[in-house]
Amino acid sequence: MSVVHRVRLPVGARPLVDEGHAVEPAEVLATRRPPGEGRAVPVAGALRRSAGAAAACVVVTPGSVLSAGELLASDGRGREVRVPDDCLFLGYDAIDGSALVAPLLGTEPILGHVRGEVTGVSPEAIEIRVTGARVAGVGGSGGAVHGELRVAVHGPGDELRAGAIDVATTGRILVGGSRASAETLTRARAMGVAGIVLGGVLDKELRDFEATQRRRREIGGERGDLAILLLEGFGKVGLDPDLFSWFAAHDGHVASLFGESAELYVYDAAPPPARRTFPRPGDRVLAHRRPYAGLSGELVRVLPGLHATPAATARSGVVRFDDGLTAVVPLANLEAAERLSGG
Amino acid sequence: MTARVDAELALLIDVGSAWTKAGVVAKARGRWRLVAHVAQPSAWGDDELRGALAQQLARSADARLVDRLQALIAGANRIESHTPRRPGRIAVVAVSRELSGGSARRAAEAAGWEVVETVTLDDGRRLADRLAILQAAEVDAWLLAGGFDDARSQRALEAAALVASARRPGGGPVIWAGSTMLSEDVAELFESGATIVADNPRPDPRREELPRVRERLLAVLRSTLAGEDETQLATVALPRAVGALAAASRMRILAVDVGARAALRALSESDGTVVSRVHARGGLGGLAALPGAAARVARLAGDAGDESAVADLLQTLRARPSTMPQTPEDLSATHAATVVALAGMLEEGPPSGLDLLIGGGRSIAGAPSAPHAARMLLDGVRPVGVTQLAIDAAGLLAPLGSLPDDEIREGMALLADDLLAPLGTAVVTRGGELGRLAMRVTVHRPGWPTSQPIEVRGGQLQVVPLGRGQQAEVHIELGDGVGLGSARRSPRIAALATGGALGLVLDARGVPIALPRRGDDRRAMLASWREALSRETPPGVERIA
């Protein structure tokens, strides 16, 4: 099983790989030199012209990347202004007679965070074919990380507790259960956990945690953000038991987690349990809205016509949940889960 | 040998980003009627849609047709509209956050663009951060704004230079909506043909002029999303249908549609002239990212749980837009979220002088009952004056609007009573004081004895039964400082009210609605309004689903 992952390159990035190249998660695919803080380069004074008249002497256009010593302005009679460093030319101020440039900072690596084979390289992106399984979530936070998967709870409905995070989890991607508190997330970050996969999380706790991540970045503290992937929903929402079993079967596999785009690649893995909309009687189903969010069970039958409840009038079905509860649930709130073969 | 029985059918479908609405129109006893309609998640697909429609039709169809209903629906004339398959993404770069940036952003959003980044020279970021943000932006177009029309603003050129530094050549059109004196200078920063000059939304510090720049942005958006049949886009088709309806009925009509992703409003004058706005992130899914939205929804709903629970719900609406509320708390929060989305669409103030207000989108048109739908429209839009309320329950307007002009008119005439589900008429006042007389209303219904005048005080909401198809003459005396949105020439105002699933709603809650600060008081007041709307619903009204 393979999927194509696209690594978008920012403007000015220089690819270092070619098609057919095999890449590892930590491999540098491209480099870039980001622009730094703007700096004024006197032009009019150096050319002994008025600020307005010197505008015509500028020989580059905004957006041009200039190398150290490259010509910025010339009066055509031998007076010239050259840039002292590699920089990005942003514009000329016709009032004070100076050019605004942003010096290019040191080279920064661009990592793909995935293992695979490069299938396409362009100035905009590098495409990599990944051999493994892709799991998409409904939300996430943080950047891209990779590490070994480790299931850190006993059951899909269990909450990931701070106590489950110790030195053995450093650098790993943990699979939690139905929720992780802000305290757990903070501890995971402090212990150097690479990422966490959860069924759900309280939006407020996730936002509070993101705020602390942002603050840490702003004050220039430690790097190494924690990436989080939510698979089922917001609030306390358990993982699909079949999916949880699949994670358990792949404990120890290397995985790449992309928090912002809410996706996870697990290498050398069998396909994860598939989902489809519009379940049919006999299907294993997962419920997505309160009061049954995160519960799974079997769709026993579909009710004829529309079924009215105080909150909705909709096509509905009778679901026998795994915990023994039987309830009528709108079909729109159910997804059918395909059973794992042999599982 | 038995003669083969056939049926004349047409299938009207509106495919939304999350839900698809479909109606079957058939000729029954010589008249075209809406004979079945369903709404289902778009992901369920066509087969399931046909199956559900056939199931509904089977109850009333000729027995000789029952086995062939799905095939008949599949072969029916299909009239379709759909939301754009993907939103156009734009970055806004401007001089000032409040003036040029704010105006440019509003114009872009109103034209239907999704604004993915806004960078202004006074946004508090470092230059390096601005550049980094813009260099990483993945957009279809760039909107540049700054400088007043009578000046060559150096700052505006700096903003343009930022885009020139961050954009790849060929990286989408650059729309210059700044000082007209700088148009040529800006064009020189980009490759030939990359720049499109639009009107300055801030020609001077005191004036904001959005309509022309909005139209230009709309045209660029359409060319960006070229490949989709423009007439079938719901953002084009719905306003066309509203315009046709207004022209045919000589009414001033506002239609609002809050979808999963985007929201749309179309205001048509009685001559059919329409002004529409698409808010690319104005749908229910966009609220999760709106600062303070969860607190506002929790406050407006009253019974939906705390802010944290509402925040989870808003995220669920974003992440799983085709699911539906299953608990009263979720329903209440979803409806309050719809109210917030509606208010966001009408931020320049509530409209007045409307004859008809139409609600569309799953949350309004698919509300479990008429009071729910009416309350969202009343609370979200605050239509000051005497206004008929209706919902596009079967989602017919947008598909009809995708037809040629003459066929729209013909389709509307044929469907007549089935086109919209009337909720009734609302009298909404502005001004006055809480607890003091806001209006005294006398309702004359043909065939009924003249009733005693009904006194409605500031902060109150009352419903008078007035069934579908009924009309009543209403005489309104307004209290001191209370208005109906237009200059008052007489102490008594006469108006005609048309009935519906809810009746005549007398709403003196003011504009905007003032809610008590104390939580218990607020919840009690919200509950009393909810009860007032539900209690007076006349028995035997049609269900809205």
Side-chain angles (χ1 to χ4, degrees):
Chain A
M1 182 183 182
S2 69
V3 284
V4 173
H5 178 74
R6 187 170 184 265
V7 180
R8 191 169 178 274
L9 299 178
V11 175
R14 196 163 61 87
L16 300 178
V17 292
D18 298 316
E19 277 185 37
H21 187 89
V23 294
E24 288 296 318
E27 191 169 332
V28 177
L29 302 183
T31 57
R32 71 180 289 243
R33 294 184 67 189
E37 213 31 58
R39 181 193 298 169
V41 177
V43 173
L47 299 180
R48 296 186 193 165
R49 294 200 171 205
S50 69
C57 302
V58 177
V59 298
V60 290
T61 54
S64 304
V65 175
L66 306 177
S67 302
E70 199 170 330
L71 190 64
L72 174 65
S74 166
D75 68 355
R77 295 181 200 164
R79 290 195 190 94
E80 293 178 339
V81 179
R82 292 179 182 272
V83 291
D85 308 298
D86 296 350
C87 65
L88 180 65
F89 172 63
L90 290 165
Y92 174 77
D93 189 335
I95 295 167
D96 73 1
S98 65
L100 180 65
V101 298
L104 297 178
L105 304 179
T107 302
E108 282 186 358
I110 296 171
L111 274 58
H113 289 284
V114 290
R115 178 197 292 169
E117 182 189 332
V118 176
T119 56
V121 180
S122 72
E124 288 84 30
I126 295 172
E127 289 184 338
I128 301 165
R129 185 179 303 283
V130 176
T131 305
R134 179 178 174 272
V135 181
V138 296
S141 166
V145 296
H146 59 272
E148 269 183 28
L149 272 185
R150 178 166 177 179
V151 176
V153 291
H154 295 294
D158 291 353
E159 190 170 325
L160 179 64
R161 304 277 179 192
I165 292 162
D166 54 25
V167 286
T169 59
T170 301
R172 305 282 170 92
I173 294 174
L174 303 185
V175 178
S178 56
R179 182 192 160 190
S181 66
E183 183 200 354
T184 304
L185 297 176
T186 306
R187 181 172 167 79
R189 183 178 59 199
M191 294 297 289
V193 171
I196 295 183
V197 180
L198 294 164
V201 73
L202 267 61
D203 179 61
K204 186 179 183 319
E205 289 185 330
L206 185 61
R207 280 178 194 242
D208 288 349
F209 178 73
E210 283 174 340
T212 65
Q213 298 236 100
R214 247 192 328 271
R215 183 79 188 118
R216 277 159 52 100
R217 278 195 293 269
E218 282 167 9
I219 61 175
E222 303 163 55
R223 295 182 68 82
D225 288 347
L226 175 71
I228 299 163
L229 172 68
L230 304 180
L231 292 179
E232 306 294 353
F234 288 81
K236 190 173 191 292
V237 189
L239 278 169
D240 164 17
D242 289 343
L243 186 58
F244 184 78
S245 302
W246 180 84
F247 275 119
H250 292 92
D251 194 289
H253 282 233
V254 175
S256 297
L257 195 166
F258 297 82
E260 264 173 37
S261 56
E263 54 191 347
L264 176 81
Y265 297 104
V266 181
Y267 302 102
D268 306 318
R275 303 255 182 104
R276 62 175 160 77
T277 57
F278 199 70
R280 293 185 169 77
D283 280 345
R284 288 277 306 160
V285 291
L286 284 128
H288 289 309
R289 291 291 290 261
R290 292 186 291 192
Y292 309 116
L295 295 185
S296 56
E298 184 188 329
L299 179 64
V300 179
R301 65 189 172 98
V302 173
L303 298 175
L306 301 178
H307 179 78
T309 68
T313 301
R315 295 174 74 187
S316 304
V318 177
V319 179
R320 191 184 305 120
F321 288 109
D322 295 341
D323 63 2
L325 179 77
T326 298
V328 174
V329 183
L331 296 180
N333 292 355
L334 296 173
E335 265 187 313
E338 308 282 5
R339 275 216 178 271
L340 285 169
S341 55
Chain B
M1 189 176 157
T2 5
R4 185 179 167 85
V5 178
D6 241 320
E8 284 182 80
L9 301 178
L11 180 62
L12 284 83
I13 301 189
D14 181 26
V15 184
S17 58
W19 282 78
T20 293
K21 287 76 67 181
V24 174
V25 177
K27 212 166 190 178
R29 295 192 185 92
R31 277 188 65 197
W32 285 92
R33 298 297 309 258
L34 176 70
V35 290
H37 72 92
V38 299
Q40 67 173 40
S42 297
W44 285 8
D46 264 11
D47 288 351
E48 203 46 56
L49 191 76
R50 281 195 296 272
L53 287 166
Q55 203 178 35
Q56 252 190 51
L57 274 174
R59 289 183 220 134
S60 54
D62 186 314
R64 291 166 293 179
L65 290 172
V66 168
D67 292 340
R68 288 192 288 130
L69 285 173
Q70 287 217 39
L72 285 169
I73 294 168
N77 182 22
R78 185 182 169 109
I79 304 165
E80 181 177 326
S81 63
H82 59 79
T83 53
R85 294 197 167 76
R86 72 172 185 90
R89 294 158 60 89
I90 200 167
V92 173
V93 181
V95 172
S96 107
R97 193 171 60 178
E98 293 294 321
L99 295 177
S100 52
S103 299
R105 187 185 178 101
R106 279 191 287 279
E109 287 177 338
W113 285 95
E114 182 180 341
V115 178
V116 291
E117 294 294 353
T118 302
V119 166
T120 60
L121 301 187
D122 62 352
D123 59 12
R125 295 185 180 114
R126 297 180 312 136
L127 175 68
D129 292 335
R130 286 187 201 123
L131 277 169
I133 287 168
L134 294 177
Q135 286 185 336
E138 209 166 356
V139 295
D140 299 303
W142 304 78
L143 176 58
L144 261 167
F148 304 121
D149 273 350
D150 59 353
R152 288 181 58 84
S153 160
Q154 190 62 38
R155 299 282 281 164
L157 280 176
E158 274 178 42
L162 268 181
V163 175
S165 307
R167 172 184 168 274
R168 298 174 207 276
V174 178
I175 302 146
W176 169 245
S179 165
T180 48
M181 294 177 77
L182 295 174
S183 301
E184 286 180 14
D185 303 64
V186 171
E188 279 176 14
L189 300 181
F190 304 95
E191 72 272 17
S192 172
T195 314
I196 296 167
V197 178
D199 283 58
N200 189 349
R202 277 282 177 182
D204 67 53
R206 285 173 213 85
R207 217 155 33 107
E208 181 179 75
E209 286 190 2
L210 297 186
R212 286 205 289 204
V213 65
R214 194 172 57 229
E215 286 305 311
R216 195 82 168 111
L217 285 163
L218 187 60
V220 179
L221 176 64
R222 285 176 185 167
S223 65
T224 302
L225 300 179
E228 298 200 44
D229 182 351
E230 189 180 302
T231 56
Q232 286 195 336
L233 288 178
T235 49
V236 175
L238 181 64
R240 289 185 70 219
V242 173
L245 184 62
S249 59
R250 310 302 299 170
M251 289 200 286
R252 187 165 188 258
I253 301 175
L254 174 67
V256 287
D257 186 316
V258 178
R261 195 173 65 198
L264 182 147
R265 71 173 180 131
L267 175 64
S268 178
E269 300 301 331
S270 55
D271 62 359
T273 316
V274 193
V275 177
S276 66
R277 289 193 192 181
V278 184
H279 294 254
R281 282 187 181 177
L284 291 179
L287 290 174
L290 196 68
R296 202 165 160 215
V297 169
R299 189 177 141 79
L300 279 176
D303 56 355
D306 60 13
E307 186 184 330
S308 174
V310 170
D312 287 341
L313 174 87
L314 294 183
Q315 286 287 6
T316 303
L317 294 177
R318 177 195 61 76
R320 299 202 180 274
S322 60
T323 58
M324 56 201 308
Q326 209 179 333
T327 64
E329 293 80 17
D330 263 18
L331 181 72
S332 178
T334 305
H335 288 180
T338 307
V339 169
V340 171
L342 284 171
M345 266 201 290
L346 301 157
E347 57 189 7
E348 73 274 27
S352 60
L354 294 176
D355 298 307
L356 173 62
L357 171 60
I358 303 170
R362 179 72 192 151
S363 57
I364 301 173
S369 72
H372 285 114
R375 186 150 171 234
M376 280 182 269
L377 288 174
L378 288 172
D379 291 7
V381 178
R382 301 307 292 145
V384 178
V386 182
T387 313
Q388 288 183 50
L389 307 178
I391 52 173
D392 182 15
L396 300 180
L397 280 179
L400 275 179
S402 70
L403 293 168
D405 285 343
D406 53 336
E407 289 182 29
I408 297 178
R409 285 192 294 273
E410 191 187 338
M412 284 182 174
L414 288 175
L415 283 172
D417 294 344
D418 291 335
L419 187 61
L420 298 171
L423 301 174
T425 299
V427 181
V428 177
T429 60
R430 190 204 311 255
E433 286 177 35
L434 198 69
R436 299 193 66 172
L437 181 72
M439 58 179 148
R440 185 178 288 117
V441 181
T442 313
V443 182
H444 303 277
R445 279 167 287 194
W448 290 52
T450 300
S451 60
Q452 288 295 310
I454 301 161
E455 289 197 346
V456 186
R457 298 185 174 275
Q460 281 186 341
L461 180 71
Q462 288 196 30
V463 180
V464 180
L466 189 64
R468 183 169 183 169
Q470 294 182 343
Q471 286 196 326
E473 201 175 303
V474 181
H475 293 274
I476 307 159
E477 288 176 67
L478 295 173
D480 290 340
V482 178
L484 280 175
S486 53
R488 207 194 310 177
R489 295 190 184 83
S490 152
R492 279 168 72 89
I493 297 159
L496 194 66
T498 307
L502 189 60
L504 173 64
V505 184
L506 306 174
D507 181 345
R509 296 176 297 161
V511 180
I513 295 174
L515 286 169
R517 295 176 79 85
R518 277 193 64 227
D520 288 347
D521 295 344
R522 189 170 61 248
R523 279 187 284 276
M525 186 169 266
L526 289 165
S528 73
W529 291 336
R530 209 163 23 239
E531 196 193 340
L533 280 173
S534 308
R535 187 181 56 222
E536 300 293 347
T537 306
V541 296
E542 62 269 73
R543 269 196 88 74
I544 298 163

